[in-house]
Structure formats: C-alpha cells, structure tokens
Amino acid sequence: MDIKRIKIMFYINRPHLTYDILTVFKKHDIPIISMEVYSNVIYLKIPFISDDLTEEIRVECEKVYGYDYMEEIDVMSFEEKDIGLKSVLNLISEGVIILDSKGVIEYGNKVSFNFIENVRTGHLIFDFIDDKDLKNCIKSDKKSSVDFIRNKTIQIKNKNFLLNMNPLYSEEGTFCGHLLTLKEIKEDLFYDSFITFDDIMGDDKKFRQIIETAKHYSHSDASILLTGESGTGKEMFARAIHSESKRSKMPFVSINCAAIPDELLESELFGYTAGSFTGANKSGKIGIFEMAEGGTVFLDEIGELNYHLQAKLLRVLQEKKIRPIGSTKEKDMNVRIISATNRNLEKLINEGSFRMDLFYRLNIFRIQLPPLRQRQDDIPKLTNYFLKILSTRYDKQNISLSNDAKSILISYSWPGNIREMQNVLERAVVLTSNNTIKKEHIIFDKTNGFENISIEENDFGTTVSKFERELILKYLRKYKSIRNTAKNIGVTHTLLINRIKKYHIEDDEWKNS
C-alpha cells in the first residue's frame, strides 16, 4: 500500500485542535494509519491520496483556528527517532535487546541476533534464554521496585556471555520495560591490557622468588596485601595475580582510594539506589563490588581509606554481603580482594587511623615489592624494554643510550622507582634530536628544576610543550647564545631557532639572566 506522510503546524496551542483537524480527514473518508500529536504539530500517516485531494484538505484546514501550514514529509517524527536509535544500537559491539514489562522482545540489534539463534521480536525472551534469575527479574506485577542483573555469566551456543539487565523508565518515571545486554567473554574483556606474570620483567633472584610466591597466592581466594614504595608495580602484580587465578575470565576492577573524595568513594564502592541523595542518578548506580561480581577488586592506596569506610569494608569482608546506599536489602558478594599501599599500616594502626581488625582481614597473604634501587641488575633490561616501547610511540627507531647516559641510569637511586624510570626515559626520547640519548637528556624527577610546570592530565602534548620550553630556556641561560646552546645540546642551529619561535621565547627571558 502506498503511503503519504503529512506534517501540520499550528501557531497556537488550544483545546480540540487535533479533533478539528481530524474532522476534515473524516469528512473525506481518509483513514489514519498512525498519528503523532505534540503541542504545535500533528504528524499523520495516511493511505496515498492525489495531489488535488491533498490541496483540497489543505484549504479546508486553513479554516481551522490556529492552523499555520501543512507539508508532505518523508519520515514521521517517531520513525526518524526509531531509525536513529536502531542505527546507533547496530553500531554497538554488544548484543542489545529491548523488552517490554512482561519480557517480550520489542527490538534486538544485529549483534544480539548473531549471539542468539532464531531470536525474534514479539516473543518472550525466556524462549531463547532459559535463566532462573532472568525469569525472577521480569515480573508482570512489578510497578515500583525493579531488579537489576549485573555481570551474570550465562552460556549461549557453548559460548560464555555476561548478561546485564536494567529497567527502563518514561520521562515521568513510569517503569516500561527492560534493556538487556550481552557481552561475549573474551580473554582481555575487562582490562586494557591482559597482564600475566610473564609480562613482569626482572632477573634479580629475590625478585623472581617474589613472583613465584605471588603465583602460589593466586590460586587461593584469600585476600592479598601488596606493599612497597610508590611506583614499584603493585597494580601490575594485582593484575597478574588475577590473570593467574581461577577468576581470570571474570572482571578485574580497580579503584584508587586516595584519588576520590571521601563523600563520593562510598557510592563508588557500594553503589546507591534511585533517589538516595541529591544529585544521584535517577536509576541508581552499582558499585565496584557488584561490577566485579565473580572477579577481583583491587583497592589501591588502601591506607588512605577513612575510618568510617574501613568499618564498612570490614563488614563486606566478614559477611560477603554489600548494602548500596539508600537500600534496606543486602546483596551477596563474590569477589576476591587485593589491596595495596605504600604506607606502613602497622604504624597507622598504632596511631589509631587504621583498624587492626581490617588489617588482619586484608593481610592474609602479603607481598612486599622491592624498590628499584635494590634491583640494580634489572635496570639495563628495564631500560631497553621501555625504550623499545617509546621508540614506537614517538616513531624514533633504534634509540640507544650513550655510555655516560647508561652510567647515570645505573648509579641513580630511583626514588620514584619504575614509574620514575618511565618518565625519565620518555623525556629523554622526546628531547633527543637523533637516535642517541646523551647525558644531558637524562633529567630526573627530583632534580629537574621544573616543579612549577602544571601537568595537563588529559593533554600530554601541552605538558611536553611546557617542559620543552622551560628546558630550552634553561640551556639558553647557561650557554648565553643560540649557536653555542645548539652546539652543546646536540641539535642544529636551525632547529633551535624554530623551537624558540614556536614557543615565543623572548630575548629578555634569557639574555639578561
């Protein structure tokens, strides 16, 4: 059947306006296939009519008080939104299925059709996914309290998937259905890089013994406490332990207890229900313990956790249950907890700022990571490893170290450990104009003289530019002329002039210093 779509606009909004317009169509015995009505516009889908009859209807509509104009359109408003929504959902790599309140499939994207054999709209989701929790979650008599499903592992066609389900609400807050998602479980699903113990570099005998101990601990489900100075690789160890454990196919979720304000940290850890506090998400939010269900939670900088949250965490460890903020119901929790700190927890206990009972719960297994200065034999190997990565990142092939640069790196005490080594080498790679890193390119964090440079966390290029400008100024002040500076730092006179122009370095910033 041929279709015509019409849009009718009004310059006012008054009662019975829609009725008056539809009366015109009824007079000509034109059925309405579908209709959308808003305050100042009506969209009509009707069987095809001739241009002459369309014009006749337009003339009669002009007599209706408030009528502005009428035009033919290609797509109805709801069709346009529907096309946009389906296009977006079909771009998503997860399976997405929209269900009504009874669990009937209203829409499924292409990925979901690939995941579930013979899935069809208009049928109950239970016809294709036979899962007890899914059936319990969808109840026809539910009006206000609607359950979630979070990261539940299910099998479809001998493949493992994570099932998530969220309630859908109208603008008025009325429950109207469910959004179900399916994500295929792959080896590297839950983290940016799947890290194993093979990725942890080091030939030092004591360090290799620590790695073997960590492997043994991985096979237990007990809590592990990682201690050591900042930058020694505690998170890398935590990820490797997770990868070695029986939970390796499940989520690894980390949180830095020092990086989030106390008033927000509780909701990040435990989640909250809808309307728990001012500014809360209308549909609530799950915490990391629910997010990591079946997997591992890594609590970094646990020594910074405030006393109130320590008590709540202790209860989680003791009872294996969590209670979201604003909820009266507890939820079972199945996660393995790995924590890390660079602080002396025993000292904090004596000072009264860390709970002894929590310490004993976290400290079932303990791994003390050595600082880099105690692994001097590993420094050349680590240096070569990071330079290989950096040479690819900055498209500078076959970067090498001069003998003087090697000596400095080996003799340095590395107070910032591996993290500082990465920073120092990255600076050196950026600063060198050829493939050889020289002594002058090695600038250590604690003596670089650039403490006042602000770090643009989301803009690496800006930070490097600020650093390079300050470095050029430092050398210009030292060597007094552009030509002499270029000669001493190993770059061409032209390159240095171009950098001075690029960073708008004025003569009075260095000539009179």
Side-chain angles (χ1 to χ4, degrees):
M1 180 175 66
D2 290 333
I3 297 295
K4 180 169 284 195
R5 296 170 177 84
I6 295 174
K7 175 182 177 182
I8 303 172
M9 290 294 300
F10 308 97
Y11 59 82
I12 63 167
N13 182 23
R14 65 171 178 82
H16 313 302
L17 193 51
T18 303
Y19 175 83
D20 293 342
I21 290 295
L22 293 181
T23 300
V24 175
F25 284 82
K26 184 177 184 304
K27 175 184 173 183
H28 293 276
D29 197 25
I30 300 172
I32 307 297
I33 297 172
S34 64
M35 176 174 66
E36 288 181 76
V37 180
Y38 301 97
S39 57
N40 286 79
V41 61
I42 296 175
Y43 296 92
L44 296 172
K45 183 192 283 189
I46 61 176
F48 182 80
I49 58 176
S50 66
D51 291 342
D52 290 340
L53 182 53
T54 303
E55 177 62 19
E56 188 177 338
I57 290 172
R58 186 191 65 77
V59 171
E60 292 186 33
C61 285
E62 285 180 344
K63 299 173 184 176
V64 176
Y65 175 61
Y67 170 88
D68 189 3
Y69 68 87
M70 183 173 78
E71 64 179 355
E72 290 188 44
I73 56 175
D74 295 322
V75 184
M76 301 273 281
S77 177
F78 82 90
E79 291 175 326
E80 189 172 20
K81 293 174 185 175
D82 190 55
I83 291 169
L85 174 63
K86 289 179 177 178
S87 298
V88 170
L89 292 179
N90 282 327
L91 292 173
I92 295 174
S93 58
E94 296 182 22
V96 179
I97 298 175
I98 298 173
L99 310 172
D100 71 8
S101 59
K102 302 280 198 311
V104 174
I105 301 170
E106 294 187 337
Y107 174 74
N109 68 348
K110 291 178 180 178
V111 175
S112 68
F113 280 43
N114 292 333
F115 287 165
I116 308 174
E117 192 173 356
N118 299 323
V119 66
R120 297 184 300 279
T121 58
H123 289 252
L124 285 168
I125 188 67
F126 316 129
D127 295 341
F128 309 100
I129 301 178
D130 184 16
D131 182 80
K132 181 180 177 182
D133 290 336
L134 182 62
K135 290 179 180 177
N136 290 338
C137 191
I138 301 173
K139 296 181 179 178
S140 59
D141 59 344
K142 268 192 173 174
K143 301 296 181 185
S144 57
S145 176
V146 182
D147 289 338
F148 295 80
I149 293 179
R150 286 287 178 264
N151 291 332
K152 177 180 173 62
T153 306
I154 64 170
Q155 267 204 345
I156 302 174
K157 292 197 299 186
N158 297 320
K159 290 185 177 181
N160 291 321
F161 294 87
L162 281 184
L163 169 67
N164 284 273
M165 195 161 75
N166 295 281
L168 296 175
Y169 296 93
S170 67
E171 291 181 0
E172 293 76 26
T174 304
F175 170 64
C176 54
H178 305 267
L179 177 68
L180 184 150
T181 62
L182 291 167
K183 193 167 191 176
E184 188 175 357
I185 296 177
K186 296 179 181 178
E187 199 173 73
D188 59 349
L189 179 61
F190 295 102
Y191 22 90
D192 297 332
S193 53
F194 191 83
I195 293 173
T196 69
F197 284 108
D198 292 336
D199 297 309
I200 298 177
M201 303 191 65
D203 295 326
D204 177 84
K205 185 177 179 180
K206 289 184 178 179
F207 190 66
R208 295 309 307 177
Q209 288 175 347
I210 290 170
I211 290 176
E212 290 305 312
T213 300
K215 285 182 180 180
H216 286 302
Y217 290 169
S218 300
H219 302 300
S220 166
D221 235 11
S223 299
I224 296 177
L225 177 63
L226 302 170
T227 58
E229 296 177 8
S230 179
T232 49
K234 293 187 287 295
E235 180 166 356
M236 196 166 186
F237 261 80
R239 290 180 180 272
I241 289 168
H242 172 78
S243 302
E244 186 82 7
S245 75
K246 64 184 179 182
R247 297 176 180 268
S248 61
K249 300 296 184 183
M250 300 307 290
F252 175 95
V253 183
S254 66
I255 189 167
N256 188 313
C257 299
I260 302 173
D262 289 343
E263 59 271 19
L264 296 179
L265 184 56
E266 184 173 1
S267 65
E268 291 295 321
L269 289 170
F270 306 108
Y272 57 81
T273 58
S276 299
F277 50 86
T278 303
N281 190 306
K282 290 182 180 179
S283 59
K285 178 181 178 180
I286 66 167
I288 66 166
F289 288 108
E290 281 189 84
M291 202 180 300
E293 179 65 21
T296 302
V297 169
F298 176 54
L299 302 173
D300 199 7
E301 300 199 50
I302 190 69
E304 308 302 325
L305 198 66
N306 73 38
Y307 212 77
H308 163 67
L309 289 179
Q310 288 177 33
K312 291 201 71 170
L313 178 59
L314 176 63
R315 192 163 183 270
V316 168
L317 289 167
Q318 288 174 332
E319 301 181 16
K320 303 295 183 183
K321 293 179 183 292
I322 59 165
R323 180 183 294 172
I325 298 171
S327 175
T328 58
K329 296 180 180 179
E330 290 187 327
K331 299 180 179 181
D332 292 333
M333 180 204 71
N334 175 25
V335 299
R336 199 256 188 94
I337 292 180
I338 302 174
S339 53
T341 183
N342 59 9
R343 303 188 67 182
N344 185 330
L345 293 186
E346 288 91 339
K347 183 180 178 182
L348 294 180
I349 291 169
N350 292 332
E351 293 172 352
S353 57
F354 200 87
R355 296 180 64 106
M356 182 181 292
D357 44 8
L358 176 60
F359 172 75
Y360 287 130
R361 286 283 179 178
L362 297 173
N363 193 41
I364 296 174
F365 292 127
R366 187 169 187 166
I367 299 171
Q368 173 76 30
L369 299 184
L372 191 54
R373 60 184 172 274
Q374 294 178 9
R375 300 171 52 198
Q376 283 205 329
D377 291 344
D378 286 337
I379 290 175
K381 185 174 183 178
L382 289 167
T383 300
N384 291 334
Y385 172 74
F386 291 129
L387 285 179
K388 189 177 293 185
I389 294 173
L390 291 166
S391 65
T392 301
R393 183 182 302 172
Y394 290 99
D395 196 24
K396 294 183 177 182
Q397 301 303 315
N398 302 318
I399 293 178
S400 61
L401 291 162
S402 68
N403 290 332
D404 285 347
K406 287 179 182 178
S407 297
I408 292 173
L409 293 175
I410 292 171
S411 62
Y412 183 58
S413 63
W414 298 108
N417 294 295
I418 294 172
R419 190 177 295 126
E420 183 183 6
M421 174 182 277
Q422 290 174 301
N423 293 344
V424 169
L425 292 174
E426 185 155 14
R427 278 197 288 266
V429 170
V430 171
L431 294 172
T432 184
S433 59
N434 51 40
N435 290 347
T436 303
I437 294 175
K438 299 180 181 179
K439 178 180 177 180
E440 56 265 28
H441 299 138
I442 305 295
I443 302 169
F444 296 110
D445 287 349
K446 71 172 187 176
T447 58
N448 61 29
F450 303 122
E451 293 85 357
N452 295 325
I453 295 179
S454 60
I455 304 299
E456 306 290 342
E457 292 186 353
N458 296 319
D459 190 345
F460 175 77
T462 300
T463 301
V464 170
S465 296
K466 288 180 179 179
F467 178 84
E468 189 174 16
R469 188 182 194 280
E470 290 298 319
L471 186 64
I472 290 170
L473 273 172
K474 177 184 176 181
Y475 284 134
L476 286 171
R477 289 164 183 161
K478 179 179 179 180
Y479 296 113
K480 305 303 181 185
S481 74
I482 295 174
R483 191 171 298 279
N484 198 30
T485 299
K487 180 181 177 182
N488 279 280
I489 66 174
V491 300
T492 64
H493 182 253
T494 303
L495 185 146
L496 185 56
I497 289 175
N498 289 336
R499 287 291 193 276
I500 290 170
K501 289 179 180 178
K502 175 182 177 181
Y503 297 126
H504 306 290
I505 296 175
E506 304 294 337
D507 288 352
D508 59 4
E509 290 184 78
W510 61 274
K511 282 191 174 180
N512 299 323
S513 300

